Amino acid sequence: KPVNSGPRSRYEYLVIDGGGMVVTAWTTQRSLERPEDRVKGAVYIFLTTLASLSGMIVAGSPVIVAWDGKDNRKWRRGLHPWYKHGRGSVVNREEIAAVIAQLDGLLKAMGVATVRIDGREADDLVASIVEKECEQPGPTILMFSDDKDYLQLISDRVHLCRRSLDGIVLSPNQAAVLGIPIGEQYLHQKAIMGDPGDNIRGLKQIGEAKAMSLLTINPSIVAQCE
């Protein structure tokens, strides 16, 4: 299902979490019997999604696809040794690698830039790109990923498109309407409740609702605990 393109020619920079987009595309094809069909189907879904996203940016705008690098958890495990420890995988890594290998060549032929750095995850790279572009007045940026961690990057100039929201683009105003925490508020919410998927502990028996209640009562609670 293509994303909702919304107003055309709005953004001037597009940054995509390539790995997340590939996994989502592959998952839609996992019922197919032959591996080669699953790979081809995932490549097709990725490219059609990219075509839909192209309708949301000014023609000729930079497009960057960020990939996970080799040993992509190395840097984060240097900060937190148990990061994603014991986390299983619900995808076929060989087929995912085959999809990415095909896309590398296709994206290059299309003039789409790709980036990967050993030891870093794709979201590390997206965050660096966004931070660099926002150091001075510049383009409006559209990110594409279903990873909730990208919510902390949303600002007046940086918006997020998530397929899980039927293509709704999250700006600060849209997030406020939907009651979705973004920016520092999202970061502090995760600091309080933890992230089981990344094997990061939070306060016991504190979920999203309770974490937000604590932040509403005392917005500086996280800073006070540093």
Side-chain angles (χ1 to χ4, degrees), residues 26-33 38:
W26 179 87
T27 301
T28 66
Q29 306 297 300
R30 65 189 310 172
S31 62
L32 298 179
E33 184 175 348
R38 293 194 291 269

Side-chain angles (χ1 to χ4, degrees), residues 24-193:
T24 299
W26 179 87
T27 301
T28 66
Q29 306 297 300
R30 65 189 310 172
S31 62
L32 298 179
E33 184 175 348
R34 300 193 307 171
E36 57 267 34
D37 291 338
R38 293 194 291 269
V39 171
K40 290 178 181 178
V43 170
Y44 173 78
I45 294 296
F46 186 103
L47 294 178
T48 53
T49 302
L50 179 60
S52 295
L53 290 168
S54 69
M56 303 173 70
I57 61 175
V58 175
S61 298
V63 178
I64 297 180
V65 176
W67 301 115
D68 289 340
K70 183 180 179 181
D71 195 15
N72 60 301
R73 298 175 184 177
K74 181 178 180 180
W75 178 70
R76 293 191 181 192
R77 283 185 171 169
L79 302 173
H80 182 64
W82 295 101
Y83 172 69
K84 288 186 177 178
H85 181 75
R87 182 173 180 175
S89 177
V90 296
V91 300
N92 185 309
R93 295 187 180 278
E94 291 184 358
E95 292 181 16
I96 294 296
V99 174
I100 293 174
Q102 288 193 30
L103 287 170
D104 269 332
L106 290 169
L107 293 173
K108 182 178 181 180
M110 294 165 61
V112 175
T114 59
V115 58
R116 54 168 58 84
I117 296 177
D118 290 349
R120 298 298 183 110
E121 295 187 351
D123 46 0
D124 297 323
L125 306 184
V126 173
S128 295
I129 291 168
V130 169
E131 182 180 24
K132 181 68 175 179
E133 290 298 323
C134 290
E135 286 179 352
Q136 54 189 354
T140 52
I141 302 169
L142 178 65
M143 305 178 295
F144 182 80
S145 176
D146 260 345
D147 189 338
K148 285 187 176 181
D149 286 346
Y150 284 89
L151 292 172
Q152 63 190 289
L153 299 176
I154 294 176
S155 68
D156 290 337
R157 282 179 51 198
V158 183
H159 299 172
L160 174 65
C161 182
R162 301 185 65 207
R163 183 178 291 276
S164 60
L165 290 176
D166 289 327
I168 293 175
V169 176
L170 288 176
S171 62
N173 289 339
Q174 185 67 64
V177 170
L178 296 175
I180 298 175
I182 62 172
E184 187 176 78
Q185 188 181 53
Y186 171 81
L187 186 62
H188 288 178
Q189 180 195 55
K190 297 294 282 189
I192 293 172
M193 61 180 284

